[in-house]
Amino acid sequence: MEDRIKILMTADTVGGVWTYAINLCKGLQDYNAEIHLMTMGGSLDKSQVRQISQLRNIFLYCSDYKLEWMDNPWEDVKLAGQWISSVYKKVKPDIVHFNNYGELCGEWMCPVVTVFHSCVQTWWKAVKTSKIPAEWEKYCFIVEKALFFSDVLVAPSAAMLTEAEKVYGRIGFSKVIYNGSDDAGYVTEAKEPFILSAGRVWDEAKNIAMLSEVAARLKWPVYIAGNHESPFTGAAAIPENVHFLGQLSQEELQYYMDRASIFVMPAKYEPFGLAILEAAKSGCALVLGNISSLNEIWEDTAMYFDPDDKEQAVNVINRLIKDDRLRAEISSKSSGRAKEFTIEKMASEYMELYKGLLVEKHLKKRNKISV
């Protein structure tokens, strides 16, 4: 049996990074891997605890330290770094795998992998189309330092890697590894005449507000999974023809994906889009914002519209509603393409990366001794 690889991995408990981390840990169960998973950003909910309990070879360390993009995080970032360092010294991992930036810089004696899931600066560039404000200067410095401190930077799409290099400069050793999701549990039921989307309405990157604004002009009802209350005012407007589902568990969201005929994601910024992948695996026909990352991942298996063009969005979605044959064709293409993004493939590529870094470390050590 091959030697066991110890991996120290960070994950935040909010957003898609959590789903990514769980999927990767699940895939790594097929290998002789021991994963020490350290969580930040908030306490785990019951669903997340259940997900962890179903995995093997996972050692869980929980905290509610703020992440570097949150309000006034710097004291927490410092404490989190000390916490991670103490676990590192105790565990002595073979690989450190960071899914965030603030706690990266330390005296690690093993290879360091950092995944560029997203960052505020690339988000700002895509969504605001302007220079990021000076108040984010410290954040940007920490991200840049983390990227260049890592032995390898992984991005979930080539488009995301390109955007990272546009704002932070050329990055030495980088690799694209697409995210994956599990095929188990995706049972496509009889489709019903409604549109589904997922995301916080006030999230300018997901651009869900645009979909809610045009919903009255669409021929099918629109269901949106996610928080629709403004974090600034607490207001919760209910546009015509929109049904807000609130924050759903993965199982609850799956129920709606299995029934929905069309899944719309009008994103202006989306490094990969796990919700889109899950919808495609459930047999939804995809209608997406026409941005480089989504074009890269879905190619001609989805329909697209300019995320800033409401008229175009209405026309594309209504065309798909009216044309049963086209909708069936896009659904088939989307689900076929989705089969290429599996947990097994993602885990295999990460394991290949880990092993390559360990071999390189061993060779460097041997050459140093021989000299």
Side-chain angles (χ1 to χ4, degrees):
M1 178 181 290
E2 62 183 358
D3 293 337
R4 171 165 290 200
I5 294 179
K6 284 186 181 181
I7 304 163
L8 180 63
M9 183 184 299
T10 62
D12 65 65
T13 58
V14 293
V17 174
W18 173 261
T19 304
Y20 155 89
I22 288 296
N23 286 344
L24 179 55
C25 289
K26 186 173 184 179
L28 292 174
Q29 290 181 124
D30 293 336
Y31 301 88
N32 194 16
E34 176 182 300
I35 303 168
H36 295 259
L37 186 65
M38 306 188 69
T39 66
M40 291 163 283
S43 301
L44 299 180
D45 60 29
K46 291 180 180 179
S47 175
Q48 291 171 321
V49 171
R50 185 171 65 254
Q51 288 176 311
I52 289 290
S53 69
Q54 294 170 348
L55 299 176
R56 304 186 311 272
N57 298 331
I58 299 288
F59 297 84
L60 182 64
Y61 309 77
C62 299
S63 80
D64 58 0
Y65 290 125
K66 290 181 178 180
L67 299 159
E68 61 275 354
W69 52 267
M70 294 178 170
D71 290 336
N72 301 316
W74 305 120
E75 182 62 26
D76 274 23
V77 167
K78 179 181 177 181
L79 293 172
Q82 295 170 354
W83 175 57
I84 292 170
S85 181
S86 68
V87 174
Y88 167 84
K89 291 174 182 175
K90 179 181 177 181
V91 171
K92 296 181 174 59
D94 302 297
I95 295 286
V96 173
H97 177 136
F98 284 108
N99 288 306
N100 56 303
Y101 311 112
E103 296 78 27
L104 188 146
C105 300
E107 296 183 4
W108 319 115
M109 302 302 291
C110 65
V112 174
V113 175
T114 298
V115 183
F116 193 87
H117 294 285
S118 65
C119 81
V120 174
Q121 191 165 195
T122 53
W123 179 96
W124 201 280
K125 181 172 177 287
V127 173
K128 302 290 190 181
T129 64
S130 62
K131 187 176 180 180
I132 192 168
E135 65 194 74
W136 288 96
E137 184 177 348
K138 184 173 183 178
Y139 167 90
C140 294
F141 173 77
I142 282 179
V143 175
E144 182 175 8
K145 190 174 180 181
L147 301 190
F148 290 96
F149 184 86
S150 304
D151 292 283
V152 59
L153 180 73
V154 175
S157 63
M160 192 70 255
L161 180 59
T162 297
E163 291 305 308
E165 293 189 328
K166 282 181 181 178
V167 297
Y168 295 107
R170 181 70 179 172
I171 297 164
F173 183 17
S174 58
K175 183 178 178 63
V176 173
I177 299 180
Y178 291 128
N179 294 341
S181 71
D182 197 349
D183 289 334
Y186 291 91
V187 180
T188 304
E189 301 178 359
K191 290 298 185 179
E192 299 176 25
F194 70 87
I195 297 160
L196 181 66
S197 191
R200 297 173 294 246
V201 172
W202 46 268
D203 184 340
E204 295 175 83
K206 293 286 191 288
N207 199 27
I208 304 297
M210 188 263 241
L211 177 61
S212 67
E213 289 166 7
V214 303
R217 300 171 59 192
L218 301 176
K219 297 184 180 300
W220 283 355
V222 176
Y223 288 76
I224 299 175
N227 189 351
H228 64 288
E229 295 182 357
S230 169
F232 311 108
T233 66
I238 309 294
E240 183 182 347
N241 200 33
V242 174
H243 304 266
F244 288 110
L245 302 173
Q247 196 68 36
L248 302 181
S249 68
Q250 186 59 44
E251 294 80 8
E252 291 168 333
L253 180 57
Q254 186 64 57
Y255 169 75
Y256 283 96
M257 286 181 171
D258 285 342
R259 295 166 55 210
S261 293
I262 297 173
F263 186 85
V264 178
M265 181 56 72
K268 295 182 177 182
Y269 176 84
E270 182 57 85
F272 181 84
L274 276 169
I276 300 170
L277 175 58
E278 290 160 355
K281 289 194 175 186
S282 294
C284 298
L286 300 181
V287 184
L288 310 174
N290 192 8
I291 58 176
S292 57
S293 58
L294 297 184
N295 272 283
E296 172 190 343
I297 293 161
W298 295 103
E299 298 179 344
D300 65 348
T301 67
M303 296 186 71
Y304 302 91
F305 60 84
D306 182 340
D308 290 313
D309 191 331
K310 295 179 182 179
E311 195 69 31
Q312 189 180 122
V314 170
N315 291 339
V316 170
I317 296 170
N318 277 336
R319 179 189 171 198
L320 201 59
I321 290 172
K322 292 177 184 177
D323 194 330
D324 294 345
R325 181 177 295 180
L326 176 62
R327 192 169 65 252
E329 178 186 344
I330 296 299
S331 171
S332 177
K333 285 184 175 181
S334 298
S335 59
R337 176 68 169 166
K339 291 176 182 177
E340 299 179 28
F341 301 100
T342 65
I343 283 179
E344 292 77 14
K345 184 176 181 182
M346 174 175 65
S348 173
E349 292 188 34
Y350 271 104
M351 186 55 68
E352 182 181 354
L353 174 63
Y354 297 153
K355 289 180 177 178
L357 289 169
L358 292 174
V359 168
E360 183 179 346
K361 176 189 174 185
H362 175 73
L363 290 175
K364 286 181 178 178
K365 182 177 180 180
R366 190 173 66 180
N367 291 339
K368 186 176 181 179
I369 291 174
S370 63
V371 172

PDB file of all heavy atoms in Angstrom, residues 283-307:
ATOM      1  N   GLY A 283     -30.707  17.818 -14.875  1.00  0.00           N
ATOM      2  CA  GLY A 283     -31.451  17.856 -16.127  1.00  0.00           C
ATOM      3  C   GLY A 283     -32.053  19.192 -16.484  1.00  0.00           C
ATOM      4  O   GLY A 283     -32.895  19.276 -17.388  1.00  0.00           O
ATOM      5  N   CYS A 284     -31.634  20.277 -15.799  1.00  0.00           N
ATOM      6  CA  CYS A 284     -32.138  21.608 -16.146  1.00  0.00           C
ATOM      7  C   CYS A 284     -31.456  22.111 -17.420  1.00  0.00           C
ATOM      8  O   CYS A 284     -30.254  21.904 -17.612  1.00  0.00           O
ATOM      9  CB  CYS A 284     -31.857  22.601 -15.026  1.00  0.00           C
ATOM     10  SG  CYS A 284     -32.642  22.215 -13.452  1.00  0.00           S
ATOM     11  N   ALA A 285     -32.210  22.794 -18.253  1.00  0.00           N
ATOM     12  CA  ALA A 285     -31.614  23.518 -19.373  1.00  0.00           C
ATOM     13  C   ALA A 285     -30.990  24.790 -18.817  1.00  0.00           C
ATOM     14  O   ALA A 285     -31.632  25.515 -18.053  1.00  0.00           O
ATOM     15  CB  ALA A 285     -32.674  23.855 -20.411  1.00  0.00           C
ATOM     16  N   LEU A 286     -29.743  25.065 -19.172  1.00  0.00           N
ATOM     17  CA  LEU A 286     -29.009  26.187 -18.588  1.00  0.00           C
ATOM     18  C   LEU A 286     -29.127  27.446 -19.430  1.00  0.00           C
ATOM     19  O   LEU A 286     -28.952  27.418 -20.649  1.00  0.00           O
ATOM     20  CB  LEU A 286     -27.531  25.833 -18.428  1.00  0.00           C
ATOM     21  CG  LEU A 286     -27.180  24.639 -17.528  1.00  0.00           C
ATOM     22  CD1 LEU A 286     -25.665  24.471 -17.472  1.00  0.00           C
ATOM     23  CD2 LEU A 286     -27.751  24.816 -16.121  1.00  0.00           C
ATOM     24  N   VAL A 287     -29.390  28.573 -18.749  1.00  0.00           N
ATOM     25  CA  VAL A 287     -29.333  29.899 -19.363  1.00  0.00           C
ATOM     26  C   VAL A 287     -28.435  30.744 -18.476  1.00  0.00           C
ATOM     27  O   VAL A 287     -28.730  30.952 -17.299  1.00  0.00           O
ATOM     28  CB  VAL A 287     -30.730  30.540 -19.463  1.00  0.00           C
ATOM     29  CG1 VAL A 287     -30.625  31.873 -20.204  1.00  0.00           C
ATOM     30  CG2 VAL A 287     -31.707  29.616 -20.173  1.00  0.00           C
ATOM     31  N   LEU A 288     -27.313  31.232 -19.045  1.00  0.00           N
ATOM     32  CA  LEU A 288     -26.248  31.806 -18.224  1.00  0.00           C
ATOM     33  C   LEU A 288     -25.824  33.187 -18.708  1.00  0.00           C
ATOM     34  O   LEU A 288     -26.001  33.527 -19.888  1.00  0.00           O
ATOM     35  CB  LEU A 288     -25.022  30.878 -18.257  1.00  0.00           C
ATOM     36  CG  LEU A 288     -25.276  29.398 -17.962  1.00  0.00           C
ATOM     37  CD1 LEU A 288     -23.994  28.601 -18.179  1.00  0.00           C
ATOM     38  CD2 LEU A 288     -25.806  29.216 -16.542  1.00  0.00           C
ATOM     39  N   GLY A 289     -25.233  33.942 -17.782  1.00  0.00           N
ATOM     40  CA  GLY A 289     -24.602  35.190 -18.165  1.00  0.00           C
ATOM     41  C   GLY A 289     -23.438  34.906 -19.103  1.00  0.00           C
ATOM     42  O   GLY A 289     -22.667  33.965 -18.895  1.00  0.00           O
ATOM     43  N   ASN A 290     -23.313  35.730 -20.135  1.00  0.00           N
ATOM     44  CA  ASN A 290     -22.291  35.506 -21.157  1.00  0.00           C
ATOM     45  C   ASN A 290     -20.953  36.086 -20.697  1.00  0.00           C
ATOM     46  O   ASN A 290     -20.547  37.171 -21.089  1.00  0.00           O
ATOM     47  CB  ASN A 290     -22.735  36.141 -22.471  1.00  0.00           C
ATOM     48  CG  ASN A 290     -21.869  35.715 -23.638  1.00  0.00           C
ATOM     49  OD1 ASN A 290     -21.020  34.841 -23.514  1.00  0.00           O
ATOM     50  ND2 ASN A 290     -22.087  36.340 -24.785  1.00  0.00           N
ATOM     51  N   ILE A 291     -20.263  35.321 -19.817  1.00  0.00           N
ATOM     52  CA  ILE A 291     -18.960  35.723 -19.313  1.00  0.00           C
ATOM     53  C   ILE A 291     -17.952  34.615 -19.617  1.00  0.00           C
ATOM     54  O   ILE A 291     -18.334  33.467 -19.863  1.00  0.00           O
ATOM     55  CB  ILE A 291     -18.997  36.030 -17.803  1.00  0.00           C
ATOM     56  CG1 ILE A 291     -19.494  34.821 -16.997  1.00  0.00           C
ATOM     57  CG2 ILE A 291     -19.871  37.253 -17.535  1.00  0.00           C
ATOM     58  CD1 ILE A 291     -19.473  35.034 -15.484  1.00  0.00           C
ATOM     59  N   SER A 292     -16.668  34.960 -19.601  1.00  0.00           N
ATOM     60  CA  SER A 292     -15.638  34.046 -20.102  1.00  0.00           C
ATOM     61  C   SER A 292     -15.572  32.726 -19.346  1.00  0.00           C
ATOM     62  O   SER A 292     -15.412  31.656 -19.946  1.00  0.00           O
ATOM     63  CB  SER A 292     -14.268  34.727 -20.085  1.00  0.00           C
ATOM     64  OG  SER A 292     -13.945  35.171 -18.777  1.00  0.00           O
ATOM     65  N   SER A 293     -15.711  32.749 -18.014  1.00  0.00           N
ATOM     66  CA  SER A 293     -15.597  31.509 -17.247  1.00  0.00           C
ATOM     67  C   SER A 293     -16.729  30.544 -17.580  1.00  0.00           C
ATOM     68  O   SER A 293     -16.503  29.336 -17.736  1.00  0.00           O
ATOM     69  CB  SER A 293     -15.576  31.811 -15.746  1.00  0.00           C
ATOM     70  OG  SER A 293     -16.748  32.514 -15.362  1.00  0.00           O
ATOM     71  N   LEU A 294     -17.945  31.046 -17.681  1.00  0.00           N
ATOM     72  CA  LEU A 294     -19.080  30.169 -17.974  1.00  0.00           C
ATOM     73  C   LEU A 294     -19.041  29.672 -19.412  1.00  0.00           C
ATOM     74  O   LEU A 294     -19.432  28.533 -19.694  1.00  0.00           O
ATOM     75  CB  LEU A 294     -20.394  30.888 -17.662  1.00  0.00           C
ATOM     76  CG  LEU A 294     -20.583  31.270 -16.194  1.00  0.00           C
ATOM     77  CD1 LEU A 294     -21.946  31.890 -15.964  1.00  0.00           C
ATOM     78  CD2 LEU A 294     -20.382  30.063 -15.274  1.00  0.00           C
ATOM     79  N   ASN A 295     -18.569  30.511 -20.328  1.00  0.00           N
ATOM     80  CA  ASN A 295     -18.361  30.039 -21.701  1.00  0.00           C
ATOM     81  C   ASN A 295     -17.331  28.925 -21.756  1.00  0.00           C
ATOM     82  O   ASN A 295     -17.478  27.956 -22.487  1.00  0.00           O
ATOM     83  CB  ASN A 295     -17.917  31.204 -22.595  1.00  0.00           C
ATOM     84  CG  ASN A 295     -19.082  31.947 -23.194  1.00  0.00           C
ATOM     85  OD1 ASN A 295     -19.711  31.488 -24.141  1.00  0.00           O
ATOM     86  ND2 ASN A 295     -19.398  33.100 -22.630  1.00  0.00           N
ATOM     87  N   GLU A 296     -16.266  29.083 -20.976  1.00  0.00           N
ATOM     88  CA  GLU A 296     -15.212  28.067 -20.939  1.00  0.00           C
ATOM     89  C   GLU A 296     -15.745  26.721 -20.454  1.00  0.00           C
ATOM     90  O   GLU A 296     -15.445  25.669 -21.029  1.00  0.00           O
ATOM     91  CB  GLU A 296     -14.093  28.538 -20.009  1.00  0.00           C
ATOM     92  CG  GLU A 296     -13.020  27.497 -19.731  1.00  0.00           C
ATOM     93  CD  GLU A 296     -12.069  27.920 -18.626  1.00  0.00           C
ATOM     94  OE1 GLU A 296     -12.020  29.135 -18.284  1.00  0.00           O
ATOM     95  OE2 GLU A 296     -11.370  27.047 -18.073  1.00  0.00           O
ATOM     96  N   ILE A 297     -16.536  26.755 -19.397  1.00  0.00           N
ATOM     97  CA  ILE A 297     -16.987  25.517 -18.766  1.00  0.00           C
ATOM     98  C   ILE A 297     -18.122  24.860 -19.540  1.00  0.00           C
ATOM     99  O   ILE A 297     -18.136  23.637 -19.716  1.00  0.00           O
ATOM    100  CB  ILE A 297     -17.404  25.809 -17.311  1.00  0.00           C
ATOM    101  CG1 ILE A 297     -16.164  26.196 -16.495  1.00  0.00           C
ATOM    102  CG2 ILE A 297     -18.085  24.588 -16.669  1.00  0.00           C
ATOM    103  CD1 ILE A 297     -16.461  26.914 -15.213  1.00  0.00           C
ATOM    104  N   TRP A 298     -19.057  25.672 -20.050  1.00  0.00           N
ATOM    105  CA  TRP A 298     -20.261  25.093 -20.650  1.00  0.00           C
ATOM    106  C   TRP A 298     -20.279  25.129 -22.169  1.00  0.00           C
ATOM    107  O   TRP A 298     -21.124  24.467 -22.796  1.00  0.00           O
ATOM    108  CB  TRP A 298     -21.501  25.788 -20.064  1.00  0.00           C
ATOM    109  CG  TRP A 298     -21.596  25.490 -18.604  1.00  0.00           C
ATOM    110  CD1 TRP A 298     -21.271  26.312 -17.561  1.00  0.00           C
ATOM    111  CD2 TRP A 298     -21.971  24.250 -18.011  1.00  0.00           C
ATOM    112  NE1 TRP A 298     -21.416  25.664 -16.362  1.00  0.00           N
ATOM    113  CE2 TRP A 298     -21.856  24.390 -16.607  1.00  0.00           C
ATOM    114  CE3 TRP A 298     -22.401  23.016 -18.521  1.00  0.00           C
ATOM    115  CZ2 TRP A 298     -22.145  23.354 -15.724  1.00  0.00           C
ATOM    116  CZ3 TRP A 298     -22.696  21.990 -17.643  1.00  0.00           C
ATOM    117  CH2 TRP A 298     -22.574  22.162 -16.270  1.00  0.00           C
ATOM    118  N   GLU A 299     -19.375  25.899 -22.765  1.00  0.00           N
ATOM    119  CA  GLU A 299     -19.244  25.940 -24.226  1.00  0.00           C
ATOM    120  C   GLU A 299     -20.617  26.092 -24.890  1.00  0.00           C
ATOM    121  O   GLU A 299     -21.366  26.998 -24.551  1.00  0.00           O
ATOM    122  CB  GLU A 299     -18.489  24.689 -24.709  1.00  0.00           C
ATOM    123  CG  GLU A 299     -17.068  24.612 -24.139  1.00  0.00           C
ATOM    124  CD  GLU A 299     -16.313  23.378 -24.567  1.00  0.00           C
ATOM    125  OE1 GLU A 299     -16.949  22.401 -25.052  1.00  0.00           O
ATOM    126  OE2 GLU A 299     -15.081  23.371 -24.409  1.00  0.00           O
ATOM    127  N   ASP A 300     -20.972  25.195 -25.836  1.00  0.00           N
ATOM    128  CA  ASP A 300     -22.233  25.347 -26.570  1.00  0.00           C
ATOM    129  C   ASP A 300     -23.373  24.540 -25.953  1.00  0.00           C
ATOM    130  O   ASP A 300     -24.392  24.291 -26.601  1.00  0.00           O
ATOM    131  CB  ASP A 300     -22.050  24.944 -28.031  1.00  0.00           C
ATOM    132  CG  ASP A 300     -21.720  23.465 -28.196  1.00  0.00           C
ATOM    133  OD1 ASP A 300     -21.413  22.784 -27.182  1.00  0.00           O
ATOM    134  OD2 ASP A 300     -21.762  22.964 -29.342  1.00  0.00           O
ATOM    135  N   THR A 301     -23.201  24.120 -24.689  1.00  0.00           N
ATOM    136  CA  THR A 301     -24.230  23.288 -24.059  1.00  0.00           C
ATOM    137  C   THR A 301     -25.219  24.119 -23.235  1.00  0.00           C
ATOM    138  O   THR A 301     -26.086  23.560 -22.562  1.00  0.00           O
ATOM    139  CB  THR A 301     -23.589  22.226 -23.144  1.00  0.00           C
ATOM    140  OG1 THR A 301     -22.966  22.862 -22.022  1.00  0.00           O
ATOM    141  CG2 THR A 301     -22.551  21.418 -23.902  1.00  0.00           C
ATOM    142  N   ALA A 302     -25.096  25.436 -23.279  1.00  0.00           N
ATOM    143  CA  ALA A 302     -26.004  26.338 -22.565  1.00  0.00           C
ATOM    144  C   ALA A 302     -26.382  27.473 -23.503  1.00  0.00           C
ATOM    145  O   ALA A 302     -25.775  27.667 -24.561  1.00  0.00           O
ATOM    146  CB  ALA A 302     -25.338  26.885 -21.314  1.00  0.00           C
ATOM    147  N   MET A 303     -27.411  28.223 -23.117  1.00  0.00           N
ATOM    148  CA  MET A 303     -27.753  29.456 -23.818  1.00  0.00           C
ATOM    149  C   MET A 303     -27.277  30.629 -22.968  1.00  0.00           C
ATOM    150  O   MET A 303     -27.220  30.530 -21.733  1.00  0.00           O
ATOM    151  CB  MET A 303     -29.256  29.532 -24.075  1.00  0.00           C
ATOM    152  CG  MET A 303     -29.750  28.438 -25.010  1.00  0.00           C
ATOM    153  SD  MET A 303     -31.501  28.601 -25.468  1.00  0.00           S
ATOM    154  CE  MET A 303     -31.440  30.032 -26.539  1.00  0.00           C
ATOM    155  N   TYR A 304     -26.939  31.736 -23.627  1.00  0.00           N
ATOM    156  CA  TYR A 304     -26.317  32.859 -22.931  1.00  0.00           C
ATOM    157  C   TYR A 304     -27.007  34.174 -23.265  1.00  0.00           C
ATOM    158  O   TYR A 304     -27.641  34.321 -24.308  1.00  0.00           O
ATOM    159  CB  TYR A 304     -24.841  32.978 -23.329  1.00  0.00           C
ATOM    160  CG  TYR A 304     -24.011  31.750 -23.048  1.00  0.00           C
ATOM    161  CD1 TYR A 304     -23.861  30.751 -24.013  1.00  0.00           C
ATOM    162  CD2 TYR A 304     -23.379  31.583 -21.820  1.00  0.00           C
ATOM    163  CE1 TYR A 304     -23.089  29.617 -23.759  1.00  0.00           C
ATOM    164  CE2 TYR A 304     -22.605  30.455 -21.553  1.00  0.00           C
ATOM    165  CZ  TYR A 304     -22.469  29.486 -22.529  1.00  0.00           C
ATOM    166  OH  TYR A 304     -21.720  28.364 -22.273  1.00  0.00           O
ATOM    167  N   PHE A 305     -26.835  35.137 -22.355  1.00  0.00           N
ATOM    168  CA  PHE A 305     -27.265  36.504 -22.614  1.00  0.00           C
ATOM    169  C   PHE A 305     -26.317  37.449 -21.892  1.00  0.00           C
ATOM    170  O   PHE A 305     -25.654  37.073 -20.922  1.00  0.00           O
ATOM    171  CB  PHE A 305     -28.709  36.747 -22.172  1.00  0.00           C
ATOM    172  CG  PHE A 305     -28.962  36.517 -20.705  1.00  0.00           C
ATOM    173  CD1 PHE A 305     -28.709  37.518 -19.767  1.00  0.00           C
ATOM    174  CD2 PHE A 305     -29.454  35.300 -20.261  1.00  0.00           C
ATOM    175  CE1 PHE A 305     -28.939  37.298 -18.415  1.00  0.00           C
ATOM    176  CE2 PHE A 305     -29.691  35.080 -18.908  1.00  0.00           C
ATOM    177  CZ  PHE A 305     -29.434  36.074 -17.988  1.00  0.00           C
ATOM    178  N   ASP A 306     -26.245  38.672 -22.382  1.00  0.00           N
ATOM    179  CA  ASP A 306     -25.437  39.712 -21.743  1.00  0.00           C
ATOM    180  C   ASP A 306     -26.051  40.005 -20.376  1.00  0.00           C
ATOM    181  O   ASP A 306     -27.221  40.395 -20.282  1.00  0.00           O
ATOM    182  CB  ASP A 306     -25.470  40.962 -22.624  1.00  0.00           C
ATOM    183  CG  ASP A 306     -24.619  42.106 -22.069  1.00  0.00           C
ATOM    184  OD1 ASP A 306     -24.303  42.105 -20.852  1.00  0.00           O
ATOM    185  OD2 ASP A 306     -24.282  43.018 -22.849  1.00  0.00           O
ATOM    186  N   PRO A 307     -25.290  39.826 -19.293  1.00  0.00           N
ATOM    187  CA  PRO A 307     -25.865  40.029 -17.950  1.00  0.00           C
ATOM    188  C   PRO A 307     -26.269  41.471 -17.657  1.00  0.00           C
ATOM    189  O   PRO A 307     -26.910  41.727 -16.635  1.00  0.00           O
ATOM    190  CB  PRO A 307     -24.749  39.553 -17.012  1.00  0.00           C
ATOM    191  CG  PRO A 307     -23.508  39.636 -17.814  1.00  0.00           C
ATOM    192  CD  PRO A 307     -23.896  39.360 -19.227  1.00  0.00           C
TER     193      PRO A 307
END
